[in-house]
Structure formats: structure tokens, C-alpha cells
Amino acid sequence: KQWYQRRVAITAGICINKDQNMFDSKKKLKLCTGEQVTKRLAQYQRHSIDFNSCLLSFYTNQLESFRNKSLELQQSGLDLAPLLLATYYNKEKKMDEAVKVLTDAPVRSLAVQLALAQLQKSKGDFEGCHKSLSGLSEFEGRPGYINILAGLLLHTAGPEKCIGYLEDALTKLRSSGSYSASQLNEWTISLARFVLSQNLPQRSATILEYLLSRDSTNIKALALLIRSVSLFDAPRAKDVAQRLPEIQIPSEINLEELEMGVGVTSGRGLRKVIQPEEEKIKEANRRFETKKKKVPTATLR
């Protein structure tokens, strides 16, 4: 049994090392697919060898043979077979046919679902891509998966649907207990910042107020809340700003000198401070003389 499993491993190695010597790969594959060998192999082992044989046909540009083998594998019920046929159509630049093959696949494995979503995204079909990715239990509750679906919703359904989905997802993440409080706080601030970017400051303020009710010392959330509230209620923003902690300034720092230094350090401020009045007059005269020399003369053409 180990010997026959080794045969399957050899076929996989043939495809992995295809670029080293294609002629030897074909020769080895022919030995592994002999009639005496295939009779004693289990069905999943034969499928593995046929799958690798099909891949080798693709790498050697035997596209017609590759297509026929792909169809045979699909009829045999191999769940990854639709990927092979979709690869053929994609190489032939027939994107619609590739999408149809994956859509009509009898068994929708995770690999098929992800490949279908990628093809639909490449075509610009964001709605179809969102449909293909929705409901994948393997990625349920993962932040990266949530971000992808939110981005697709933003393209297809608009910001309101996207924000509603993100709020529901964040609620589920809180209740799952799989993430720390600092992670949840950072995601909440990111959501509030995104909501604010969609010109919804009141909704952003509501999200931040909820966060501050659970973590009153979060300076990032408080600063963003002041910014959000100032866009629709300036007096209230001043009241919220009173919640900011006082800054302890060291005694050796002179605030008046620091304020004066702000104007000096900029380019214009530096020239204003250093350049005396006489030099300004000389500079103005020099520019005037330069302009007189550069007066254009009329020419006949």
C-alpha cells in the first residue's frame, strides 16, 4: 500500500518540478499510469494521478488534451475538476465560460467558491462576487472576511448597507468572546472613522459614545468624538472637549518662546524675522531691474 501511495506522491512531484525537465516528467508519468499499476490503486489515488496528468498537459500547452481530461475528471465527480476547466477557459480569455463552469459545478468546494469570486471580481461583477463569498462558514467571524464583504457591499449597495453590516458584524465579534477589549475598541474606532468619511457625523458620534461608555479613558475615541460632534453641534463639541485630560507641561518649557518659534521655523516666517527693511527694498529694486531687461520686443513673422 505504501508503494502505491508513493506512486501518487511521485506524480505530484512531477508537476511541482515541471520546469526542471518536462521530458522526464512525461516519462515518469507514463510509468505511473500503466495499466498494471492503476488496477491496484484506490479511486482517490487514481483521481490524484489523473489530476496531475491533466496539469502536466496544461503546462506543456496541450490545451485540447487538457480540456478533454478536465471534462473526464468532472464527469467522474472530482470536486476540483471544475477548476481545471475554468483554467482552460481563462487561458483562452473566455471569462464568461470560466465563470459558468464554476457556477454550474455539481460540488461547490471552498476552492471553487474562492476561484469563482476571484473571477467575478476580475470581471467587475462585485454583486456576484459578494454572493459567492457570502455564507462561507470557514471564514465566519474573521475580521479580514468581514472587511472584504463590507468593501463589496459598499460598491454594490451603498454606504448605508455597508455600515449596517459592519455594525452587526462588530456586535457578533463582541459577543463571541474571541477578541480582546483593545482589539474591539480599535475596530470600533475604525468603524466610526469610516462612518465619518461617509458624511454621517451623528452616526459616528453615536458609535463613539457607546465605546466611551465602556472605556471612558480612550483618548482616540474622545478626540474623534469631538471632531464628529463639531460638524453638527459646535457648542456641544466644546463641552465634550472639557472631558480631555489636562496636559502636564514641564516647568522648564517656556510657552511664550515656543509660540514665537512657530512663526520663525516656517519658511516665510524665517524670512520675515531675519530680513531687515533695507534688504527688502534692495530685493524689490533688483526684481524691477530684472523685469525691465526682460521686456519682450515685437518681431515680424
Side-chain angles (χ1 to χ4, degrees):
K1 184 178 179 182
Q2 291 179 352
W3 186 81
Y4 288 114
Q5 289 176 342
R6 190 180 168 207
R7 290 277 183 173
V8 178
I10 287 171
T11 57
I14 289 166
C15 288
I16 292 169
N17 301 316
K18 62 187 183 304
D19 294 329
Q20 294 180 3
N21 194 325
M22 201 65 71
F23 177 77
D24 285 348
S25 295
K26 289 181 182 179
K27 190 175 179 180
K28 289 177 183 176
L29 190 61
K30 189 174 181 181
L31 291 173
C32 293
T33 54
E35 187 177 350
Q36 296 299 322
V37 176
T38 53
K39 281 182 180 179
R40 300 182 182 183
L41 293 175
Q43 187 177 14
Y44 77 93
Q45 292 172 320
R46 287 198 296 270
H47 279 168
S48 297
I49 291 175
D50 291 340
F51 187 87
N52 288 329
S53 173
C54 189
L55 283 177
L56 192 61
S57 299
F58 177 76
Y59 291 131
T60 54
N61 289 321
Q62 296 174 330
L63 295 182
E64 192 59 35
S65 172
F66 172 74
R67 179 176 176 276
N68 294 333
K69 288 178 181 178
S70 300
L71 287 170
E72 288 176 8
L73 284 171
Q74 187 161 343
Q75 289 170 0
S76 67
L78 184 65
D79 57 346
L80 294 178
L83 288 175
L84 295 170
L85 202 54
T87 303
Y88 166 78
Y89 285 125
N90 191 36
K91 188 175 178 67
E92 294 291 311
K93 297 182 179 179
K94 299 177 179 178
M95 297 284 285
D96 291 333
E97 286 85 346
V99 170
K100 189 175 185 307
V101 166
L102 296 177
T103 305
D104 297 341
V107 179
R108 287 278 194 93
S109 65
L110 178 61
V112 171
Q113 286 283 88
L114 294 175
L116 176 59
Q118 181 62 43
L119 282 174
Q120 289 168 327
K121 182 176 177 292
S122 300
K123 284 181 61 186
D125 182 11
F126 296 108
E127 190 172 350
C129 180
H130 179 266
K131 187 177 178 182
S132 298
L133 290 176
S134 297
L136 294 179
S137 57
E138 294 87 349
F139 303 121
E140 196 70 36
R142 296 189 184 183
Y145 177 67
I146 292 168
N147 285 341
I148 291 171
L149 290 181
L152 293 169
L153 268 177
L154 185 62
H155 275 84
T156 55
E160 281 290 338
K161 288 279 186 183
C162 177
I163 292 167
Y165 168 74
L166 285 172
E167 287 177 334
D168 292 341
L170 191 56
T171 302
K172 290 177 182 177
L173 290 175
R174 284 197 191 100
S175 59
S176 68
S178 303
Y179 301 97
S180 65
S182 61
Q183 286 177 308
L184 293 169
N185 289 349
E186 284 297 325
W187 293 333
T188 305
I189 292 170
S190 296
L191 173 59
R193 193 176 287 117
F194 170 71
V195 172
L196 187 60
S197 70
Q198 300 300 315
N199 295 321
L200 297 169
Q202 289 178 304
R203 194 163 180 178
S204 174
T206 303
I207 295 168
L208 292 164
E209 286 283 12
Y210 174 77
L211 171 58
L212 288 166
S213 68
R214 301 165 67 94
D215 182 11
S216 59
T217 60
N218 196 311
I219 301 298
K220 285 184 181 179
L222 186 56
L224 190 58
L225 177 62
I226 295 167
R227 181 183 168 193
S228 300
V229 173
S230 66
L231 295 174
F232 64 89
D233 192 346
R236 185 185 160 202
K238 290 181 180 179
D239 294 336
V240 176
Q242 298 300 319
R243 292 157 59 180
L244 286 169
E246 291 186 5
I247 300 174
Q248 299 296 328
I249 302 173
S251 58
E252 63 269 15
I253 295 178
N254 190 320
L255 289 178
E256 291 183 2
E257 290 181 3
L258 190 65
E259 288 174 359
M260 288 178 63
V262 173
V264 174
T265 52
S266 64
R268 292 180 181 177
L270 191 63
R271 283 196 295 273
K272 285 178 182 178
V273 172
I274 294 175
Q275 194 175 38
E277 195 66 29
E278 292 180 2
E279 288 188 13
K280 287 183 181 180
I281 296 169
K282 288 180 181 179
E283 181 69 16
N285 290 335
R286 188 185 64 79
R287 289 180 182 176
F288 179 74
E289 292 295 330
T290 306
K291 285 182 180 179
K292 282 178 66 177
K293 290 178 183 179
K294 292 184 178 179
V295 174
T297 56
T299 56
L300 295 175
R301 299 198 176 191

